[in-house]
Amino acid sequence: MELFISSGSTGEGSVGTYLGAFALTVLAGWAGVLFSLLLTVGLFLDSRQLRRTDRDWSPTPLYALAGIAHAVGTTLFAAFAVSVPVIGYYLYRRRERDTTAI
């Protein structure tokens, strides 16, 4: 997005530069949405599997809501402030569980 804004504000540039910057901006936005959807599904399935198998830590499938907040975070930065720490905590606990199982 910064590239798109800066390319338009200088006044110097071809139409190809503007279109390329716009295409990269749109592509990055959709890639973020796709990643967050995969993250939501992955968190839901992983937490459900952990609830079935692990007795020490039973995460709720509501952790998948952090993936949805991550999707909103592609356009609203405040959602990242919520989703990233929640996902980080989940992954920390998940890693902790994996290392003690060995």
Side-chain angles (χ1 to χ4, degrees):
M1 186 57 117
E2 187 176 323
L3 175 66
F4 180 69
I5 291 171
S6 67
S7 67
S9 64
T10 60
E12 301 172 11
S14 66
V15 174
T17 304
Y18 299 138
L19 290 177
F22 178 74
L24 284 175
T25 303
V26 171
L27 181 65
W30 280 108
V33 169
L34 177 64
F35 172 75
S36 63
L37 290 176
L38 292 173
L39 180 68
T40 302
V41 171
L43 283 172
F44 177 76
L45 294 176
D46 188 56
S47 64
R48 194 175 73 176
Q49 182 65 27
L50 278 176
R51 286 181 65 83
R52 291 180 186 162
T53 60
D54 193 8
R55 301 249 187 255
D56 295 336
W57 181 50
S58 297
T60 177
L62 292 177
Y63 276 104
L65 292 177
I68 295 172
H70 209 73
V72 173
T74 59
T75 56
L76 182 63
F77 182 73
F80 275 123
V82 173
S83 68
V84 171
V86 171
I87 294 169
Y89 174 75
Y90 181 86
L91 292 175
Y92 174 76
R93 289 292 308 262
R94 179 74 165 118
R95 180 179 171 268
E96 207 175 65
R97 180 214 178 257
D98 282 345
T99 58
T100 58
I102 294 174

